[in-house]
Amino acid sequence: MGTSRRTENQRQATPATQGEAFERYRVLLFSIAYRMTGSASDAEDLVQETYLRYQANADQEISSLKAYLTTIVTRLALDYLKSARVTREQYIGTWLPEPILTSDESGSPFADLEQQEALSLAFLRLLETLSPPERAVFLLHEVFEYPFDEIGGMLEKSPANCRQIFHRARQALQDERARFTPEPQRQRQLLLSFLSASQAGDLAGLTKLLAQDAVSWADGGGKVLANLKPIYGQQAVAHIWSSWLGSPENNQRPPTLTFTLVEINGDPAFLCWNEDELIGVLSVTASAAGIQDIYVVRNPEKLAYLQKQLAARRDTPPD
């Protein structure tokens, strides 16, 4: 798999030196796997499997360890997506990507990476519209800046074919991507105003914040209460949020519901708590017309990695 000559002093590599060499690329590999799959938990598994395959082929000659490992994790992600596509077709309700903390203090592997826009929940959801090969070529070239000849070797395609796939994928995404680039401060203010208006039951104020074609997405995975289908349109979205958060008597709203502002996938978002239990993540995307999309991830399985990050942050002593 990948290149076959070894020039990185790995001919006499020991398990210890192999592990040290692999760690230099762990963040990159996780970044690729997460963007490919939309799942941090599965990305961790794919990175671990990449390491095991690297260890199992210690006697191979490798001219570029970075390209070699990228090839393995990309092909593993493509295999994963073949089965994931079937699973997502059977998924109960709306499927949204798994949210992760990305602030500096979170210990996130993404905290220091460029291309934060290519990490947003809106962008990851948009990638779902591409075929797995289109997703791989687009990410490897656009986000991770691999040349087409290297990508061709990784995917066993010609550079010309990869270039065609890339242009097709970029064309499919470019109109939608343009909507998801607001100034961070404006997006943060819209999120704060959205929560305030919702909690106050201010239907008129909430309506003014929303674009005409606003959509509210909720992912409960059939495990917790959540709308199974997206809610479309300014009036419908405003009504459901002002009703749900603005009415203390509403038995669908936990009486002890609180919110913590954090950075999720490079954007401001709220962690939703019922006392000490994390029950959801709330975020928005914005266009020139106002709030465009509202995302609520409530599936407990998709909050597991985030909870692990929060636990690690609590356990990390201050400098």
Side-chain angles (χ1 to χ4, degrees):
M1 179 181 296
T3 51
S4 60
R5 287 190 307 118
R6 179 172 307 189
T7 62
E8 297 191 21
N9 299 322
Q10 303 205 23
R11 210 175 282 277
Q12 286 83 36
T14 66
T17 58
Q18 269 196 304
E20 184 178 323
F22 182 85
E23 287 302 316
R24 294 202 302 269
Y25 300 108
R26 180 179 289 276
V27 170
L28 171 67
L29 300 175
F30 181 87
S31 301
I32 293 170
Y34 174 67
R35 286 179 169 98
M36 282 286 291
T37 65
S39 168
S41 305
D42 290 317
E44 281 193 315
D45 291 342
L46 295 181
V47 171
Q48 182 60 25
E49 178 62 23
T50 299
Y51 179 61
L52 294 176
R53 295 195 181 194
Y54 169 48
Q55 279 192 315
N57 294 282
D59 58 339
Q60 287 192 24
E61 294 184 354
I62 303 171
S63 62
S64 168
L65 183 58
K66 178 182 177 182
Y68 179 78
L69 295 175
T70 299
T71 300
I72 296 175
V73 79
T74 300
R75 292 184 183 180
L76 287 172
L78 288 170
D79 289 341
Y80 165 90
L81 288 172
K82 291 177 184 177
S83 59
R85 187 169 292 272
V86 174
T87 301
R88 288 173 192 176
E89 287 174 353
Q90 301 170 345
Y91 195 79
I92 299 176
T94 299
W95 183 94
L96 291 175
E98 185 177 341
I100 60 173
L101 284 171
T102 52
S103 56
D104 290 339
E105 68 272 15
S106 70
S108 164
F110 296 103
D112 298 323
L113 291 187
E114 300 294 329
Q115 296 275 5
Q116 287 281 53
E117 178 267 339
L119 185 61
S120 70
L121 293 182
F123 179 74
L124 294 178
R125 184 181 64 82
L126 203 55
L127 287 178
E128 289 289 304
T129 64
L130 301 179
S131 69
E134 287 175 336
R135 197 180 314 183
V137 172
F138 181 83
L139 287 171
L140 289 172
H141 185 71
E142 176 82 355
V143 178
F144 298 102
E145 300 181 342
Y146 284 91
F148 289 120
D149 56 343
E150 281 194 51
I151 298 172
M154 294 173 188
L155 303 183
E156 299 181 323
K157 298 179 183 294
S158 71
N161 190 8
C162 289
R163 189 175 288 106
Q164 289 177 338
I165 292 172
F166 172 77
H167 289 303
R168 186 168 63 242
R170 186 172 63 177
Q171 183 66 37
L173 299 181
Q174 66 180 8
D175 292 340
E176 290 293 320
R177 288 183 74 190
R179 302 194 321 177
F180 303 132
T181 55
E183 295 179 1
Q185 185 59 35
R186 179 172 182 267
Q187 188 163 348
R188 182 178 185 274
Q189 187 55 55
L190 282 171
L191 178 65
L192 291 168
S193 299
F194 171 80
L195 180 63
S196 177
S198 296
Q199 289 181 309
D202 180 3
L203 183 60
L206 189 54
T207 301
K208 291 179 181 178
L209 293 170
L210 300 170
Q212 287 285 345
D213 55 348
V215 185
S216 181
W217 312 79
D219 182 342
K223 298 176 174 58
V224 295
L225 185 65
N227 293 316
L228 295 180
K229 296 182 179 180
I231 307 298
Y232 293 96
Q234 184 184 55
Q235 295 297 326
V237 171
H239 177 78
I240 193 169
W241 278 97
S242 63
S243 174
W244 188 69
L245 284 184
S247 173
E249 293 79 22
N250 190 329
N251 58 15
Q252 296 180 10
R253 170 186 170 183
T256 56
L257 187 65
T258 57
F259 299 88
T260 305
L261 185 65
V262 296
E263 182 186 290
I264 294 288
N265 290 70
D267 292 322
F270 281 113
L271 301 182
C272 311
W273 303 89
N274 181 19
E275 296 183 340
D276 294 331
E277 179 188 4
L278 180 65
I279 63 170
V281 173
L282 167 66
S283 62
V284 302
T285 65
S287 67
I291 293 175
Q292 193 68 51
D293 295 283
I294 302 158
Y295 297 113
V296 182
V297 180
R298 295 208 58 213
N299 184 341
E301 292 180 359
K302 293 190 177 181
L303 301 177
Y305 185 85
L306 180 55
Q307 289 176 314
K308 186 165 66 172
Q309 287 183 294
L310 291 168
R313 184 167 67 176
R314 287 193 296 267
D315 293 340
T316 300
D319 294 335

